[in-house]
Amino acid sequence: MKHILKIISCILVTAFFLGCQEEDQTFGNIVAPTNIVIMSEIVGQDAANPNGDGSGLVNFTATADNALSYKYSFGNTEQNAPLGETSFTFSDLGVNTYTVTVVAYGTGGVSTTATTEIDVLATYSAPADLLEALVGNGSKTWRIKSEKQSHFGLGPVGGLVPAEWYGAAADEKSATGMYDDRYVFNEDGTFTHIVNSTNDDPTADPTGTIFGRDPLVEELGPHSETVNGSDIENYPYQDYTENWVLTAPGGVETINLTGLGFIGYYTGGNHKYEIFSRDNPNELTIRTSDGNSEFDWWFIITSEEEGVTNQLQTIYTNLVWSDEFDVNGAPDPANWTYDLGVGENGWGNNELQEYTDNADNVIVEDGSLKITAKAEGSAYTSARLKSVDLFEFTYGRVEVRAKLPAAQGTWPAIWMLGANFETVGWPASGEIDIMEQTGQDKNTTLGTLHYPAMFGGNGNTGSTSVATSTTAFHNYVVEWTPDVIKIVVDDVVFHTVINSDSLPFNDDFFFILNVAMGGSLGGTVDPAFTEDTMEIDYVRVYQ
């Protein structure tokens, strides 16, 4: 597929060439390329797999004498390759023979053509639910989820933690030309990038702007925009169409775009986007390696327009257990016991506090449970309550109404742990973090699931903005069913994980309520810290 800007550039070059002919200018000898050589590397090809590993991916290199640029034709798809190098994914199932045509361009636009045939094995058939998620009813449109924390970021090549080195804050890149782009995966295999999505007038100038990495964005054409650090912002571009196909090299579901097609931020490279997470059919976390092989770039894309809330539609309405914290004094011993002491290695997270059951650290008064972290000289005390052996349950809707501490370095958490923790250990027991807040960002709430495939810093996590978390009470909720686990704030779902028999979320869990100090999420404690409190109005379980 040819980009409109490139077509316009060719027209301008032709007009300039004809005008100069009238002035009898000399452009040198017009020389057609010769000796075209087409080399192909079928990914995974070896003696046992002569047609590749089944991914269908082939890397091509073309060379020719006196060639200035190249173009490949793969049947109905064309790809420009200025340096003669490109990759293509063949997706017809089985071993198929394909004819690949290469056009080498010389001075004056003259060209020479060569073809080659290649036998390639493709074994991947995309699952129906992934196709449905991408295409929908044929009009599904995707965008960068700009309102979500870390919707765009980078990390090491091959990293497993989204935006490990940098994650953009909500709406941080609103002035770059990225957020108004829209992406459509059409059922016929074409990919449409709508650059100027805010313009509804079909007769108006379709030019919009995009965002890309300098100098890789120059693959799209020359630019005059100012470089901002490593970025080119608001680069003028127009809507275009390429092709898309799904593959799964190494078992990793991957969106492959042809030509110069891209999503979000132009990074050059192979235009392949690995699907890192797709638990929510309307939200994908994807990553791609840039053309310099320096970083992996991460994006969260959504098919929901901004402002459309994902309201929780609960299936659980029967209140089966609660603690309303309406009796002053120590927490009800029929509901709660304690973890005490400093734990082993700071409770496993290099935390700084000692847990007590003293009234200074935990008390019920004025209709709330109050867990208070305090500075004790150069040390800290706090409290950690748990319902182990007192109340344990499987499935339901948990609602905890709470106001969180504001001090830097406090790490409040409302969470659940598998009741078989003592016998199988962690993460085999499973963990559901209904609410966590870092010590440095008090405007963002995290919801995370930990299990054997996703634990520690690689937990299955989501986040949402709660700007008044330290000044007002909010409802922190989990809807836990045999099929899905939804983490919610104030009735709005912000993280969804599909449950299954292979996950440890189908047996009894118990509650833990605590405020830690420092550690992996608490971070640096304010040197002036004296004390701060998490207040909990109630804990309720519906089934």
Side-chain angles (χ1 to χ4, degrees):
M1 296 290 177
K2 294 184 174 126
H3 294 294
I4 293 173
L5 283 182
K6 292 181 179 175
I7 294 171
I8 293 173
S9 297
C10 291
I11 293 171
L12 292 175
V13 168
T14 301
F16 176 74
F17 179 76
L18 292 175
C20 290
Q21 278 186 320
E22 294 174 1
E23 298 177 9
D24 196 25
Q25 298 291 327
T26 300
F27 287 86
N29 295 329
I30 297 177
V31 180
T34 57
N35 300 322
I36 299 179
V37 177
I38 306 171
M39 293 174 287
S40 59
E41 176 203 358
I42 306 175
V43 172
Q45 184 182 51
D46 55 28
N49 302 283
N51 305 117
D53 60 6
S55 66
L57 177 62
V58 182
N59 301 317
F60 292 93
T61 301
T63 60
D65 296 334
N66 303 311
L68 300 179
S69 65
Y70 302 83
K71 181 175 70 177
Y72 285 79
S73 176
F74 305 97
N76 295 325
T77 302
E78 293 182 344
Q79 291 184 194
N80 290 308
L83 300 179
E85 297 179 355
T86 194
S87 298
F88 190 79
T89 300
F90 299 94
S91 58
D92 293 340
L93 294 180
V95 177
N96 293 278
T97 301
Y98 301 93
T99 299
V100 178
T101 301
V102 174
V103 182
Y105 293 95
T107 57
V110 296
S111 62
T112 304
T113 300
T115 62
T116 187
E117 287 191 344
I118 186 169
D119 296 331
V120 184
L121 171 65
T123 59
Y124 175 69
S125 181
D129 65 325
L130 177 54
L131 291 172
E132 173 66 23
L134 284 172
V135 177
N137 62 4
S139 61
K140 197 167 188 178
T141 301
W142 294 82
R143 65 179 177 90
I144 298 295
K145 192 169 185 179
S146 56
E147 67 273 23
K148 189 166 185 174
Q149 186 77 14
S150 298
H151 57 274
F152 163 65
L154 61 85
V157 173
L160 296 177
V161 180
E164 181 176 350
W165 290 345
Y166 160 75
D171 299 316
E172 179 182 329
K173 301 298 182 181
S174 59
T176 66
M178 178 167 68
Y179 293 160
D180 60 354
D181 290 9
R182 297 295 182 267
Y183 315 96
V184 183
F185 299 92
N186 298 298
E187 194 170 9
D188 64 358
T190 56
F191 168 78
T192 304
H193 184 163
I194 305 170
V195 176
N196 193 20
S197 67
T198 58
N199 191 346
D200 296 326
D201 182 357
T203 65
D205 181 1
T207 301
T209 61
I210 60 171
F211 184 34
R213 188 178 184 200
D214 180 61
L216 296 171
V217 76
E218 293 177 0
E219 295 176 7
L220 303 177
H223 68 86
S224 59
E225 286 63 46
T226 301
V227 178
N228 182 3
S230 298
D231 302 327
I232 299 295
E233 301 173 350
N234 296 303
Y235 175 90
Y237 212 56
Q238 292 184 334
D239 301 351
Y240 65 86
T241 299
E242 288 288 354
N243 285 344
W244 69 281
V245 67
L246 287 168
T247 59
V252 180
E253 294 171 335
T254 302
I255 302 169
N256 302 263
L257 302 180
T258 61
L260 299 176
F262 71 98
I263 297 173
Y265 175 81
Y266 190 84
T267 64
N270 53 25
H271 308 282
K272 301 178 189 304
Y273 295 86
E274 295 180 347
I275 300 174
F276 186 76
S277 172
R278 62 176 184 93
D279 297 318
N280 182 341
N282 297 316
E283 183 175 310
L284 300 177
T285 301
I286 58 178
R287 68 177 179 183
T288 186
S289 296
D290 64 34
N292 295 334
S293 298
E294 293 180 339
F295 307 113
D296 272 355
W297 295 88
W298 299 79
F299 308 88
I300 297 175
I301 61 174
T302 180
S303 59
E304 295 179 342
E305 282 303 315
E306 191 168 2
V308 176
T309 59
N310 191 6
Q311 292 291 126
L312 174 65
Q313 302 295 322
T314 186
I315 64 172
Y316 299 120
T317 57
N318 180 36
L319 182 65
V320 298
W321 184 90
S322 72
D323 196 328
E324 303 295 321
F325 303 115
D326 51 6
V327 177
N328 288 349
D332 187 345
N335 293 339
W336 307 103
T337 183
Y338 304 89
D339 279 322
L340 300 173
V342 295
E344 183 179 353
N345 190 30
W347 296 99
N349 300 296
N350 297 309
E351 299 162 21
L352 304 175
Q353 77 288 336
E354 176 184 356
Y355 285 129
T356 83
D357 56 2
N358 298 332
D360 286 345
N361 295 118
V362 55
I363 194 169
V364 176
E365 61 181 6
D366 303 324
S368 294
L369 169 68
K370 298 180 180 180
I371 300 176
T372 300
K374 300 173 68 72
E376 305 283 357
S378 60
Y380 307 95
T381 58
S382 187
R384 177 158 135 165
L385 284 71
K386 57 185 181 180
S387 67
V388 62
D389 296 329
L390 298 172
F391 177 70
E392 300 171 352
F393 68 104
T394 305
Y395 308 136
R397 173 167 58 91
V398 176
E399 184 173 305
V400 181
R401 186 165 179 81
K403 183 169 66 173
L404 308 181
Q408 175 184 314
T410 56
W411 174 6
I414 299 167
W415 51 300
M416 298 160 58
L417 194 61
N420 60 355
F421 168 75
E422 292 290 344
T423 57
V424 303
W426 184 92
S429 62
E431 177 180 326
I432 301 174
D433 297 330
I434 304 171
M435 185 290 302
E436 282 187 294
Q437 188 182 70
T438 71
Q440 317 303 311
D441 182 359
K442 298 302 182 181
N443 295 317
T444 301
T445 289
L446 307 176
T448 307
L449 269 64
H450 296 280
Y451 46 94
M454 301 286 284
F455 63 93
N458 192 32
N460 191 334
T461 189
S463 63
T464 190
S465 175
V466 186
T468 59
S469 66
T470 64
T471 58
F473 283 89
H474 292 272
N475 289 344
Y476 300 95
V477 176
V478 63
E479 177 97 350
W480 172 27
T481 82
D483 302 314
V484 68
I485 300 171
K486 299 178 180 180
I487 302 181
V488 183
V489 174
D490 295 335
D491 296 325
V492 178
V493 180
F494 70 91
H495 188 50
T496 302
V497 177
I498 302 302
N499 197 9
S500 70
D501 292 340
S502 65
L503 296 178
F505 302 113
N506 300 286
D507 294 300
D508 280 355
F509 274 61
F510 61 88
F511 290 118
I512 301 178
L513 312 172
N514 70 289
V515 178
M517 295 296 297
S520 56
L521 282 188
T524 302
V525 179
D526 182 352
F529 175 83
T530 55
E531 64 177 68
D532 209 342
T533 300
M534 175 168 68
E535 297 184 50
I536 298 178
D537 186 16
Y538 57 77
V539 179
R540 296 173 182 170
V541 178
Y542 299 82
Q543 289 182 328

